[in-house]
Amino acid sequence: KNEVEQSPQNLTAQEGEFITINCSYSVGISALHWLQQHPGGGIVSLFMLSSGKKKHGRLIATINIQEKHSSLHITASHPRDSAVYICAVQRAGGTSYGKLTFGQGTILTVHP
Amino acid sequence: GAGVSQSPSNKVTEKGKDVELRCDPISGHTALYWYRQRLGQGLEFLIYFQGNSAPDKSGLPSDRFSAERTGESVSTLTIQRTQQEDSAVYLCASSLRVRGAEQFFGPGTRLTVL
């Protein structure tokens, strides 16, 4: 079982819909990252969370440390939101605490 | 510079040749990471550097892979005797520090081993 599991793997939505992508992890973490990868391959950091909730424009990220679960929400989705969304965690301790462990990504397609 | 830069953007090489990939992190970022993404697959950690500490090499897939970093600046990832399974996009990222800091990614180097 992967340390980081995302769902769904693929998501198709109509413009304007509210979207949720989920991430579950099985290890103790110091931080969880949400990343966006566009078709051209570039990766952009959306959020870094260690507790609670963060909002940036139409994007909202939440994390529940006790349940080892995070969600990424997109309100009023738009075709330009089409991308791969990747959840990644940094372990809380041990010798490799700096590295990111990645989920497999969620492919989001938003149709006009 | 404004962001993380990597060179070359594309590299095609023949099996058995050595390649060197370069990463220029954001100025002032003490942590630097190398990741790999094979076609259609997720991201894999390779190695990270934190200041003057010994690098964490736990993700390097074989002894053909090595990386160096000069102080808190440029890093090079070297792959010796390349194999076809080394074909991938190699991504570099940097952050202010290892703990509790956002990672900024470069555009990647697409390596194709023929």
Side-chain angles (χ1 to χ4, degrees), chain A residues 17-30:
Chain A
E17 287 183 355
F18 181 85
I19 287 162
T20 296
I21 300 170
N22 295 299
C23 175
S24 296
Y25 54 92
S26 57
V27 296
I29 66 169
S30 61

Side-chain angles (χ1 to χ4, degrees), chain B residues 62-74:
Chain B
S62 78
D63 59 8
R64 297 186 294 103
F65 288 72
S66 62
E68 292 184 347
R69 187 181 185 191
T70 307
E72 292 187 352
S73 62
V74 171

Side-chain angles (χ1 to χ4, degrees), chain A residues 18-61:
Chain A
F18 181 85
I19 287 162
T20 296
I21 300 170
N22 295 299
C23 175
S24 296
Y25 54 92
S26 57
V27 296
I29 66 169
S30 61
L32 182 143
H33 299 247
W34 282 103
L35 309 170
Q36 181 190 56
Q37 185 170 32
H38 275 284
I43 294 177
V44 174
S45 175
L46 298 176
F47 295 102
M48 186 193 66
L49 293 163
S50 55
S51 66
K53 175 179 173 177
K54 287 189 175 180
K55 184 176 189 292
H56 185 257
R58 296 180 294 105
L59 301 178
I60 303 166

